[in-house]
mmCIF file of all heavy atoms in Angstrom:
data_model
loop_
_atom_site.group_PDB
_atom_site.id
_atom_site.type_symbol
_atom_site.label_atom_id
_atom_site.label_comp_id
_atom_site.label_asym_id
_atom_site.label_seq_id
_atom_site.Cartn_x
_atom_site.Cartn_y
_atom_site.Cartn_z
ATOM 1 N N PRO A 1 157.117 35.561 45.369
ATOM 2 C CA PRO A 1 158.265 35.389 46.264
ATOM 3 C C PRO A 1 157.816 35.618 47.696
ATOM 4 O O PRO A 1 157.077 36.571 47.979
ATOM 5 C CB PRO A 1 159.255 36.478 45.796
ATOM 6 C CG PRO A 1 158.417 37.487 45.087
ATOM 7 C CD PRO A 1 157.226 36.777 44.540
ATOM 8 N N TRP A 2 158.240 34.763 48.598
ATOM 9 C CA TRP A 2 157.804 34.824 49.992
ATOM 10 C C TRP A 2 159.053 34.801 50.886
ATOM 11 O O TRP A 2 159.694 33.763 51.050
ATOM 12 C CB TRP A 2 156.881 33.646 50.301
ATOM 13 C CG TRP A 2 156.239 33.686 51.649
ATOM 14 C CD1 TRP A 2 156.513 32.879 52.719
ATOM 15 C CD2 TRP A 2 155.199 34.576 52.080
ATOM 16 N NE1 TRP A 2 155.712 33.202 53.776
ATOM 17 C CE2 TRP A 2 154.893 34.249 53.417
ATOM 18 C CE3 TRP A 2 154.507 35.620 51.460
ATOM 19 C CZ2 TRP A 2 153.915 34.925 54.153
ATOM 20 C CZ3 TRP A 2 153.534 36.296 52.184
ATOM 21 C CH2 TRP A 2 153.249 35.947 53.509
ATOM 22 N N PRO A 3 159.424 35.933 51.470
ATOM 23 C CA PRO A 3 160.724 36.044 52.140
ATOM 24 C C PRO A 3 160.744 35.592 53.592
ATOM 25 O O PRO A 3 161.380 36.224 54.436
ATOM 26 C CB PRO A 3 161.004 37.547 52.027
ATOM 27 C CG PRO A 3 159.648 38.178 52.125
ATOM 28 C CD PRO A 3 158.725 37.228 51.394
ATOM 29 N N PHE A 4 160.076 34.490 53.926
ATOM 30 C CA PHE A 4 160.039 34.023 55.310
ATOM 31 C C PHE A 4 160.330 32.528 55.397
ATOM 32 O O PHE A 4 159.445 31.724 55.715
ATOM 33 C CB PHE A 4 158.669 34.365 55.926
ATOM 34 C CG PHE A 4 158.294 35.801 55.831
ATOM 35 C CD1 PHE A 4 157.430 36.234 54.850
ATOM 36 C CD2 PHE A 4 158.848 36.738 56.702
ATOM 37 C CE1 PHE A 4 157.093 37.580 54.747
ATOM 38 C CE2 PHE A 4 158.516 38.078 56.597
ATOM 39 C CZ PHE A 4 157.636 38.502 55.620
ATOM 40 N N PRO A 5 161.597 32.074 55.127
ATOM 41 C CA PRO A 5 162.727 32.956 54.846
ATOM 42 C C PRO A 5 162.977 33.232 53.360
ATOM 43 O O PRO A 5 163.378 34.320 53.004
ATOM 44 C CB PRO A 5 163.916 32.201 55.434
ATOM 45 C CG PRO A 5 163.523 30.770 55.320
ATOM 46 C CD PRO A 5 162.036 30.706 55.469
ATOM 47 N N SER A 6 162.758 32.241 52.476
ATOM 48 C CA SER A 6 163.062 32.496 51.060
ATOM 49 C C SER A 6 162.409 31.433 50.197
ATOM 50 O O SER A 6 163.056 30.505 49.727
ATOM 51 C CB SER A 6 164.576 32.501 50.825
ATOM 52 O OG SER A 6 164.867 32.914 49.502
ATOM 53 N N SER A 7 161.106 31.595 49.980
ATOM 54 C CA SER A 7 160.355 30.618 49.193
ATOM 55 C C SER A 7 159.814 31.264 47.929
ATOM 56 O O SER A 7 159.722 32.489 47.835
ATOM 57 C CB SER A 7 159.179 30.055 50.009
ATOM 58 O OG SER A 7 159.628 29.372 51.150
ATOM 59 N N LEU A 8 159.465 30.433 46.971
ATOM 60 C CA LEU A 8 158.705 30.865 45.809
ATOM 61 C C LEU A 8 157.391 30.109 45.848
ATOM 62 O O LEU A 8 157.355 28.889 45.658
ATOM 63 C CB LEU A 8 159.447 30.584 44.506
ATOM 64 C CG LEU A 8 158.694 31.018 43.236
ATOM 65 C CD1 LEU A 8 158.533 32.540 43.195
ATOM 66 C CD2 LEU A 8 159.407 30.538 41.983
ATOM 67 N N MET A 9 156.307 30.831 46.141
ATOM 68 C CA MET A 9 154.991 30.219 46.221
ATOM 69 C C MET A 9 154.440 30.068 44.802
ATOM 70 O O MET A 9 154.228 31.064 44.098
ATOM 71 C CB MET A 9 154.051 31.074 47.062
ATOM 72 C CG MET A 9 154.590 31.448 48.437
ATOM 73 S SD MET A 9 154.923 30.016 49.485
ATOM 74 C CE MET A 9 153.259 29.412 49.771
ATOM 75 N N ILE A 10 154.224 28.831 44.373
ATOM 76 C CA ILE A 10 153.790 28.534 43.013
ATOM 77 C C ILE A 10 152.295 28.214 43.054
ATOM 78 O O ILE A 10 151.889 27.126 43.475
ATOM 79 C CB ILE A 10 154.593 27.360 42.427
ATOM 80 C CG1 ILE A 10 156.104 27.666 42.502
ATOM 81 C CG2 ILE A 10 154.174 27.088 40.986
ATOM 82 C CD1 ILE A 10 156.975 26.463 42.215
ATOM 83 N N GLY A 11 151.484 29.194 42.654
ATOM 84 C CA GLY A 11 150.041 29.045 42.734
ATOM 85 C C GLY A 11 149.487 28.204 41.604
ATOM 86 O O GLY A 11 149.748 28.472 40.426
ATOM 87 N N CYS A 12 148.697 27.185 41.943
ATOM 88 C CA CYS A 12 148.157 26.257 40.953
ATOM 89 C C CYS A 12 146.671 26.028 41.175
ATOM 90 O O CYS A 12 146.107 26.358 42.222
ATOM 91 C CB CYS A 12 148.895 24.908 41.032
ATOM 92 S SG CYS A 12 150.659 24.992 40.630
ATOM 93 N N HIS A 13 146.055 25.436 40.153
ATOM 94 C CA HIS A 13 144.649 25.045 40.208
ATOM 95 C C HIS A 13 144.551 23.606 39.753
ATOM 96 O O HIS A 13 145.329 23.147 38.901
ATOM 97 C CB HIS A 13 143.817 25.951 39.292
ATOM 98 C CG HIS A 13 142.392 25.545 39.153
ATOM 99 N ND1 HIS A 13 141.955 24.692 38.142
ATOM 100 C CD2 HIS A 13 141.297 25.839 39.894
ATOM 101 C CE1 HIS A 13 140.647 24.516 38.270
ATOM 102 N NE2 HIS A 13 140.220 25.186 39.317
ATOM 103 N N SER A 14 143.606 22.874 40.330
ATOM 104 C CA SER A 14 143.424 21.482 39.943
ATOM 105 C C SER A 14 141.967 21.090 40.174
ATOM 106 O O SER A 14 141.186 21.846 40.765
ATOM 107 C CB SER A 14 144.346 20.562 40.754
ATOM 108 O OG SER A 14 144.046 20.664 42.143
ATOM 109 N N TYR A 15 141.611 19.908 39.705
ATOM 110 C CA TYR A 15 140.252 19.394 39.857
ATOM 111 C C TYR A 15 140.274 18.081 40.634
ATOM 112 O O TYR A 15 141.248 17.320 40.569
ATOM 113 C CB TYR A 15 139.606 19.143 38.492
ATOM 114 C CG TYR A 15 139.309 20.389 37.701
ATOM 115 C CD1 TYR A 15 140.215 20.869 36.748
ATOM 116 C CD2 TYR A 15 138.115 21.096 37.893
ATOM 117 C CE1 TYR A 15 139.941 22.009 36.012
ATOM 118 C CE2 TYR A 15 137.838 22.241 37.163
ATOM 119 C CZ TYR A 15 138.750 22.690 36.217
ATOM 120 O OH TYR A 15 138.488 23.838 35.506
ATOM 121 N N ALA A 16 139.176 17.836 41.352
ATOM 122 C CA ALA A 16 138.993 16.565 42.045
ATOM 123 C C ALA A 16 137.689 15.933 41.572
ATOM 124 O O ALA A 16 136.684 16.635 41.388
ATOM 125 C CB ALA A 16 138.946 16.768 43.551
ATOM 126 N N ASP A 17 137.683 14.620 41.371
ATOM 127 C CA ASP A 17 136.462 13.916 40.985
ATOM 128 C C ASP A 17 135.702 13.397 42.205
ATOM 129 O O ASP A 17 134.480 13.289 42.180
ATOM 130 C CB ASP A 17 136.811 12.753 40.058
ATOM 131 C CG ASP A 17 137.366 13.245 38.719
ATOM 132 O OD1 ASP A 17 136.835 14.238 38.197
ATOM 133 O OD2 ASP A 17 138.324 12.630 38.223
ATOM 134 N N ASP A 18 136.432 13.083 43.267
ATOM 135 C CA ASP A 18 135.818 12.565 44.491
ATOM 136 C C ASP A 18 136.031 13.595 45.602
ATOM 137 O O ASP A 18 137.161 13.878 45.980
ATOM 138 C CB ASP A 18 136.464 11.232 44.876
ATOM 139 C CG ASP A 18 135.815 10.586 46.095
ATOM 140 O OD1 ASP A 18 134.993 11.251 46.766
ATOM 141 O OD2 ASP A 18 136.139 9.419 46.372
ATOM 142 N N PRO A 19 134.955 14.172 46.173
ATOM 143 C CA PRO A 19 135.110 15.224 47.174
ATOM 144 C C PRO A 19 135.347 14.726 48.596
ATOM 145 O O PRO A 19 135.502 15.542 49.518
ATOM 146 C CB PRO A 19 133.767 15.959 47.093
ATOM 147 C CG PRO A 19 132.794 14.886 46.737
ATOM 148 C CD PRO A 19 133.537 13.955 45.811
ATOM 149 N N ALA A 20 135.407 13.425 48.818
ATOM 150 C CA ALA A 20 135.596 12.908 50.172
ATOM 151 C C ALA A 20 136.920 13.408 50.750
ATOM 152 O O ALA A 20 137.971 13.301 50.106
ATOM 153 C CB ALA A 20 135.563 11.379 50.157
ATOM 154 N N VAL A 21 136.869 13.954 51.966
ATOM 155 C CA VAL A 21 138.044 14.543 52.608
ATOM 156 C C VAL A 21 138.435 13.709 53.823
ATOM 157 O O VAL A 21 137.592 13.362 54.657
ATOM 158 C CB VAL A 21 137.760 15.991 53.046
ATOM 159 C CG1 VAL A 21 138.940 16.556 53.850
ATOM 160 C CG2 VAL A 21 137.468 16.866 51.839
ATOM 161 N N VAL A 22 139.726 13.390 53.918
ATOM 162 C CA VAL A 22 140.285 12.724 55.093
ATOM 163 C C VAL A 22 141.457 13.583 55.560
ATOM 164 O O VAL A 22 142.530 13.570 54.941
ATOM 165 C CB VAL A 22 140.750 11.285 54.776
ATOM 166 C CG1 VAL A 22 141.321 10.644 56.039
ATOM 167 C CG2 VAL A 22 139.611 10.463 54.214
ATOM 168 N N VAL A 23 141.263 14.339 56.623
ATOM 169 C CA VAL A 23 142.257 15.315 57.060
ATOM 170 C C VAL A 23 143.379 14.643 57.835
ATOM 171 O O VAL A 23 143.131 13.861 58.758
ATOM 172 C CB VAL A 23 141.603 16.403 57.940
ATOM 173 C CG1 VAL A 23 142.648 17.395 58.434
ATOM 174 C CG2 VAL A 23 140.505 17.120 57.165
ATOM 175 N N ASP A 24 144.611 14.954 57.449
ATOM 176 C CA ASP A 24 145.785 14.533 58.216
ATOM 177 C C ASP A 24 145.995 15.557 59.327
ATOM 178 O O ASP A 24 146.447 16.670 59.081
ATOM 179 C CB ASP A 24 147.013 14.465 57.307
ATOM 180 C CG ASP A 24 148.270 14.023 58.052
ATOM 181 O OD1 ASP A 24 148.222 13.877 59.295
ATOM 182 O OD2 ASP A 24 149.312 13.847 57.400
ATOM 183 N N LYS A 25 145.657 15.177 60.558
ATOM 184 C CA LYS A 25 145.695 16.129 61.667
ATOM 185 C C LYS A 25 147.107 16.548 62.044
ATOM 186 O O LYS A 25 147.291 17.498 62.801
ATOM 187 C CB LYS A 25 144.989 15.521 62.894
ATOM 188 C CG LYS A 25 143.493 15.305 62.702
ATOM 189 C CD LYS A 25 142.756 16.643 62.595
ATOM 190 C CE LYS A 25 141.248 16.443 62.551
ATOM 191 N NZ LYS A 25 140.510 17.715 62.551
ATOM 192 N N THR A 26 148.119 15.828 61.543
ATOM 193 C CA THR A 26 149.486 16.298 61.778
ATOM 194 C C THR A 26 149.846 17.447 60.854
ATOM 195 O O THR A 26 150.833 18.148 61.085
ATOM 196 C CB THR A 26 150.502 15.160 61.578
ATOM 197 O OG1 THR A 26 150.493 14.752 60.198
ATOM 198 C CG2 THR A 26 150.151 13.962 62.457
ATOM 199 N N GLU A 27 149.069 17.619 59.772
ATOM 200 C CA GLU A 27 149.320 18.680 58.805
ATOM 201 C C GLU A 27 148.343 19.836 58.966
ATOM 202 O O GLU A 27 148.719 21.005 58.885
ATOM 203 C CB GLU A 27 149.209 18.119 57.377
ATOM 204 C CG GLU A 27 150.252 17.076 57.018
ATOM 205 C CD GLU A 27 151.535 17.695 56.501
ATOM 206 O OE1 GLU A 27 151.582 18.918 56.356
ATOM 207 O OE2 GLU A 27 152.483 16.937 56.239
ATOM 208 N N LEU A 28 147.061 19.498 59.169
ATOM 209 C CA LEU A 28 146.007 20.514 59.201
ATOM 210 C C LEU A 28 145.085 20.290 60.396
ATOM 211 O O LEU A 28 144.932 19.163 60.880
ATOM 212 C CB LEU A 28 145.161 20.441 57.921
ATOM 213 C CG LEU A 28 145.838 20.724 56.585
ATOM 214 C CD1 LEU A 28 144.852 20.447 55.450
ATOM 215 C CD2 LEU A 28 146.352 22.153 56.507
ATOM 216 N N GLU A 29 144.464 21.362 60.827
ATOM 217 C CA GLU A 29 143.426 21.258 61.846
ATOM 218 C C GLU A 29 142.096 20.875 61.207
ATOM 219 O O GLU A 29 141.298 20.138 61.786
ATOM 220 C CB GLU A 29 143.297 22.596 62.581
ATOM 221 C CG GLU A 29 142.272 22.607 63.699
ATOM 222 C CD GLU A 29 142.224 23.948 64.402
ATOM 223 O OE1 GLU A 29 143.035 24.153 65.326
ATOM 224 O OE2 GLU A 29 141.402 24.799 64.001
ATOM 225 N N ASP A 30 141.877 21.365 59.979
ATOM 226 C CA ASP A 30 140.617 21.099 59.294
ATOM 227 C C ASP A 30 140.802 21.376 57.810
ATOM 228 O O ASP A 30 141.678 22.158 57.405
ATOM 229 C CB ASP A 30 139.507 21.991 59.855
ATOM 230 C CG ASP A 30 138.132 21.644 59.292
ATOM 231 O OD1 ASP A 30 137.902 20.455 58.988
ATOM 232 O OD2 ASP A 30 137.298 22.556 59.151
ATOM 233 N N ALA A 31 139.990 20.746 56.989
ATOM 234 C CA ALA A 31 139.911 21.027 55.552
ATOM 235 C C ALA A 31 138.481 20.757 55.123
ATOM 236 O O ALA A 31 137.880 19.764 55.550
ATOM 237 C CB ALA A 31 140.883 20.165 54.760
ATOM 238 N N ARG A 32 137.945 21.643 54.293
ATOM 239 C CA ARG A 32 136.557 21.471 53.851
ATOM 240 C C ARG A 32 136.332 22.207 52.539
ATOM 241 O O ARG A 32 137.147 23.027 52.130
ATOM 242 C CB ARG A 32 135.577 21.967 54.913
ATOM 243 C CG ARG A 32 135.682 23.459 55.197
ATOM 244 C CD ARG A 32 134.677 23.894 56.257
ATOM 245 N NE ARG A 32 135.030 23.375 57.567
ATOM 246 C CZ ARG A 32 134.397 23.734 58.691
ATOM 247 N NH1 ARG A 32 133.369 24.558 58.629
ATOM 248 N NH2 ARG A 32 134.778 23.251 59.842
ATOM 249 N N TRP A 33 135.200 21.891 51.916
ATOM 250 C CA TRP A 33 134.823 22.523 50.659
ATOM 251 C C TRP A 33 133.975 23.769 50.944
ATOM 252 O O TRP A 33 133.114 23.755 51.830
ATOM 253 C CB TRP A 33 134.009 21.554 49.801
ATOM 254 C CG TRP A 33 134.802 20.356 49.374
ATOM 255 C CD1 TRP A 33 134.854 19.139 49.995
ATOM 256 C CD2 TRP A 33 135.666 20.258 48.243
ATOM 257 N NE1 TRP A 33 135.697 18.286 49.324
ATOM 258 C CE2 TRP A 33 136.212 18.948 48.235
ATOM 259 C CE3 TRP A 33 136.033 21.152 47.228
ATOM 260 C CZ2 TRP A 33 137.092 18.511 47.263
ATOM 261 C CZ3 TRP A 33 136.923 20.709 46.249
ATOM 262 C CH2 TRP A 33 137.448 19.403 46.264
ATOM 263 N N PHE A 34 134.243 24.824 50.168
ATOM 264 C CA PHE A 34 133.464 26.049 50.275
ATOM 265 C C PHE A 34 132.872 26.381 48.907
ATOM 266 O O PHE A 34 133.567 26.314 47.885
ATOM 267 C CB PHE A 34 134.326 27.214 50.757
ATOM 268 C CG PHE A 34 134.792 27.054 52.180
ATOM 269 C CD1 PHE A 34 136.030 26.498 52.466
ATOM 270 C CD2 PHE A 34 133.988 27.462 53.237
ATOM 271 C CE1 PHE A 34 136.459 26.346 53.777
ATOM 272 C CE2 PHE A 34 134.403 27.310 54.556
ATOM 273 C CZ PHE A 34 135.646 26.754 54.822
ATOM 274 N N SER A 35 131.600 26.747 48.906
ATOM 275 C CA SER A 35 130.910 27.063 47.652
ATOM 276 C C SER A 35 131.403 28.389 47.098
ATOM 277 O O SER A 35 132.022 29.192 47.794
ATOM 278 C CB SER A 35 129.406 27.142 47.894
ATOM 279 O OG SER A 35 129.088 28.290 48.675
ATOM 280 N N ARG A 36 131.073 28.626 45.831
ATOM 281 C CA ARG A 36 131.455 29.895 45.202
ATOM 282 C C ARG A 36 130.834 31.074 45.948
ATOM 283 O O ARG A 36 131.492 32.090 46.158
ATOM 284 C CB ARG A 36 131.026 29.904 43.732
ATOM 285 C CG ARG A 36 131.460 31.161 42.978
ATOM 286 C CD ARG A 36 131.208 31.010 41.492
ATOM 287 N NE ARG A 36 132.019 29.943 40.936
ATOM 288 C CZ ARG A 36 133.281 30.092 40.546
ATOM 289 N NH1 ARG A 36 133.876 31.269 40.661
ATOM 290 N NH2 ARG A 36 133.950 29.081 40.022
ATOM 291 N N ALA A 37 129.600 30.947 46.368
ATOM 292 C CA ALA A 37 128.949 32.043 47.095
ATOM 293 C C ALA A 37 129.656 32.312 48.414
ATOM 294 O O ALA A 37 129.825 33.481 48.820
ATOM 295 C CB ALA A 37 127.482 31.699 47.343
ATOM 296 N N GLU A 38 130.108 31.268 49.089
ATOM 297 C CA GLU A 38 130.819 31.458 50.363
ATOM 298 C C GLU A 38 132.176 32.118 50.142
ATOM 299 O O GLU A 38 132.596 32.980 50.930
ATOM 300 C CB GLU A 38 130.990 30.108 51.060
ATOM 301 C CG GLU A 38 129.683 29.552 51.614
ATOM 302 C CD GLU A 38 129.833 28.138 52.135
ATOM 303 O OE1 GLU A 38 130.661 27.357 51.570
ATOM 304 O OE2 GLU A 38 129.107 27.787 53.088
ATOM 305 N N VAL A 39 132.862 31.730 49.072
ATOM 306 C CA VAL A 39 134.157 32.347 48.768
ATOM 307 C C VAL A 39 133.965 33.817 48.391
ATOM 308 O O VAL A 39 134.714 34.687 48.848
ATOM 309 C CB VAL A 39 134.873 31.580 47.643
ATOM 310 C CG1 VAL A 39 136.146 32.319 47.218
ATOM 311 C CG2 VAL A 39 135.211 30.160 48.094
ATOM 312 N N GLU A 40 132.957 34.103 47.567
ATOM 313 C CA GLU A 40 132.700 35.496 47.180
ATOM 314 C C GLU A 40 132.411 36.355 48.406
ATOM 315 O O GLU A 40 132.909 37.483 48.527
ATOM 316 C CB GLU A 40 131.534 35.547 46.201
ATOM 317 C CG GLU A 40 131.877 34.981 44.820
ATOM 318 C CD GLU A 40 130.662 34.880 43.923
ATOM 319 O OE1 GLU A 40 129.515 35.001 44.436
ATOM 320 O OE2 GLU A 40 130.846 34.670 42.700
ATOM 321 N N ASP A 41 131.633 35.844 49.333
ATOM 322 C CA ASP A 41 131.317 36.583 50.553
ATOM 323 C C ASP A 41 132.575 36.815 51.390
ATOM 324 O O ASP A 41 132.797 37.922 51.903
ATOM 325 C CB ASP A 41 130.279 35.803 51.368
ATOM 326 C CG ASP A 41 130.041 36.418 52.737
ATOM 327 O OD1 ASP A 41 129.506 37.550 52.801
ATOM 328 O OD2 ASP A 41 130.411 35.786 53.749
#
């Protein structure tokens, strides 16, 4: 539950077969892939 103002954040996992990224700059400043070692760090 996220009270700003009143959302339910539904956490999910998914897979992608093609890693090519095309960022919608109206939505995000950047998007990229991070390795497991980078996430662990």
Side-chain angles (χ1 to χ4, degrees):
W2 187 251
F4 306 100
S6 187
S7 298
L8 180 65
M9 308 299 292
I10 304 168
C12 297
H13 173 268
S14 61
Y15 292 95
D17 294 320
D18 184 350
V21 174
V22 180
V23 178
D24 180 354
K25 294 292 186 176
T26 65
E27 295 274 356
L28 297 174
E29 182 179 275
D30 187 32
R32 63 180 70 172
W33 295 94
F34 292 94
S35 69
R36 183 171 296 276
E38 289 172 327
V39 173
E40 289 173 347
D41 172 66

